[in-house]
Amino acid sequence: MSPTPSSPSTSSTVTKIARRGLMLVLSSPSGAGKSTIAASLLRDDHSLGISVSVTTRAKRPSEIDGTHYHFKTIPQFERMRESGELLEWAEVHGNFYGTPREPVESAMADGRDMLFDIDWQGAQQLQEKMKADIVSIFVLPPTMTELQSRLHRRAEDSEEVIATRLANSRAEIGHWREYDYVIVNDDLGNAFEAVQSIVRAERLRRDRRFGMFDFVTKLIEETPVL
Ligand code: ADP
Ligand code: 5GP
C-alpha cells in the first residue's frame, strides 16, 4: 500500500498511510465480558481478525469448533506445543490454551490487525516477543457480585467450573497493572465504546504508520497547483 497524498479541493479519495498491524490483547477474569466485547468489535470492524486459540477444555454448548476454539485432546495440544506451532500457551483453570503461530505471523506480515482473547500469562509471553505490536486491555467487572452473577447468567459452565473460575479471579485481577489500558465493564455500550476509541487511537500512532515517512516526503516536495 503506497501513501497517496490527496488534495481536499480536487479529490474525495481518503488518504491511506501504510502501517503495521496491531495485536489487540483482551484479558479479564472469567465472566467480566471480554468475549462479549470481542464479538461486538468483530461485528463492527471487518478489518479486525481474531486469533482462534487451541484448547483442551470441553466445548460449551454454544461453541463451534474452529470458530470459538480449535478443540484438541491433551496429546494433540502437546504435539503442537513441542513442534513450535504455538506462539504462546498457558494452563488456565486446569485446561491448556494456546495461540497458533501461523495465522498471527501471516496477519502481521500483511499489516492486518488481530484480536487475542487470552489470559495474563499469554499476554506476558506476547509482550516479550512482539512488544511493539501489542496493545493490551484488561477488562474488570464492576463488582465481584456482578462477576459471579454473570458467570451464572452465561449458563454454560457447571457449578464446579464456576467456583474454580471465581476462586481464580482475584489472582487474575492482580495482573491489571501489566496492561496498557484498564476498563470497567459496567455498561456494555460504554465499555465497547472505550475499546473502540483505544483501537482508533492506536491505529493512528506515528510509530505504527511507517508510510508516513514517504507521505511527508512527498508532501513537502509538492508544488501547490492553483
Ligand atoms: P468472558 O469472556 O470475560 O469470560 P463473557 O463475555 O462470556 O465473559 O460474559 C459473561 C456473561 O456476562 C455473558 O452472559 C455476557 O452476556 C454477560 N455480560 C457481558 N458484559 C456485560 C455487561 N456489561 N452487563 C451485563 N452482562 C454482561
Ligand atoms: P474460556 O475457557 O472461558 O474460554 O477461557 C478461559 C481463559 O483462557 C480466559 O482467560 C481466556 O482469555 C484464556 N485463553 C483463551 N485462549 C487462550 C490462549 O490461546 N492462550 C492463553 N494464554 N489464554 C487463553
Side-chain angles (χ1 to χ4, degrees), residues 2 70 134:
S2 67
H70 300 289
I134 307 275

Side-chain angles (χ1 to χ4, degrees), residues 146-173:
E146 175 64 11
L147 183 68
Q148 175 170 305
S149 39
R150 283 184 193 170
L151 281 169
H152 283 109
R153 280 208 301 273
R154 184 162 71 189
E156 298 241 38
D157 297 317
S158 66
E159 283 304 315
E160 192 190 346
V161 167
I162 290 178
T164 305
R165 286 170 180 247
L166 268 178
N168 292 340
S169 63
R170 284 189 172 77
E172 293 179 311
I173 289 171

Side-chain angles (χ1 to χ4, degrees), residues 51-55 67-71 88 97-100 117-118:
S51 163
V52 180
S53 297
V54 290
T55 183
T67 301
H68 296 93
Y69 281 106
H70 300 289
F71 293 94
E88 63 74 33
Y97 296 83
T99 300
D117 175 339
I118 60 176

Side-chain angles (χ1 to χ4, degrees), residues 35-51 113-115 192:
S35 305
T36 307
I37 294 171
S40 303
L41 270 179
L42 293 171
R43 267 196 305 275
D44 175 72
D45 184 341
H46 297 289
S47 68
L48 193 61
I50 184 147
S51 163
D113 299 332
M114 257 207 157
L115 180 60
F192 173 55

Side-chain angles (χ1 to χ4, degrees), residues 70-88:
H70 300 289
F71 293 94
K72 302 286 177 192
T73 61
I74 294 176
Q76 284 172 331
F77 184 94
E78 286 172 342
R79 269 197 298 279
M80 291 185 80
R81 191 181 59 193
E82 303 324 321
S83 63
E85 286 174 63
L86 302 179
L87 191 55
E88 63 74 33

